[in-house]
Amino acid sequence: MSLILRLQQLQGEDLQKLQALYMHTQFPMEIRYYCASWIEAQDWQGINVDDLSMEPNARMLLQELIQQVNQKASGLSDEMMFPIRLKLNQFARELDQRWSISPLNFVRTIRYCIEVEQSLVDDAGVSKLFFKIIHRDVR
C-alpha cells in the first residue's frame, strides 16, 4: 500500500502530527496528496543534500514536481474543482519562487517529510498491532 494511502488512515494525535509537519515545513499537503505517486517514486535518498555538485539533480526534481503540479491542475476540469485548480497553480508558482534558489533544501524538506510520514504510519501500525494483541490476550 502506498504511503499516502496509509497516511489517510491516520487518526487523532497521529493525524495532528501530520498536519503539524506540513505547517512546519511549509510544504503544501495538497501537493503531497495530488502528486503522491510521483513523489513516492523518486529517489530522494540518492541526492546528497550536503554536496553542491548534486544541485542540478535537485533542481531537476524540483522542475519535474512543478510540472507534475501544473499537469494535475490542468487535469482538474470539473467546475467543482476550479478552486483546487487555482490553488495548485498558485502552489506551483510558490514552489518555483521558494525553492529554485535552494533546490538542495527542497530535497532535504521532501526527504524529511517522507521520513516523518513513514515514522507516523509505522508507529500507528505498531500501536494497532499492540492493541489487537492486548485485546486478544484479555479474552
Side-chain angles (χ1 to χ4, degrees), residues 39-56:
I39 289 171
E40 292 177 26
Q42 304 312 303
D43 181 18
W44 300 101
Q45 297 298 328
I47 295 181
N48 180 350
V49 294
D50 297 318
D51 180 357
L52 289 178
S53 72
M54 298 296 284
E55 192 169 285

Side-chain angles (χ1 to χ4, degrees), residues 54-83:
M54 298 296 284
E55 192 169 285
N57 302 58
R59 187 173 310 285
M60 185 178 72
L61 283 173
L62 173 61
Q63 292 306 315
E64 287 178 16
L65 179 58
I66 292 170
Q67 184 178 20
Q68 288 288 318
V69 173
N70 284 326
Q71 287 175 352
K72 291 291 180 184
S74 65
L76 299 174
S77 57
D78 183 344
E79 66 185 46
M80 296 296 290
M81 301 301 269
F82 177 72

Side-chain angles (χ1 to χ4, degrees), residues 14 55 119 122 131:
D14 292 328
E55 192 169 285
S119 176
D122 289 348
F131 183 78

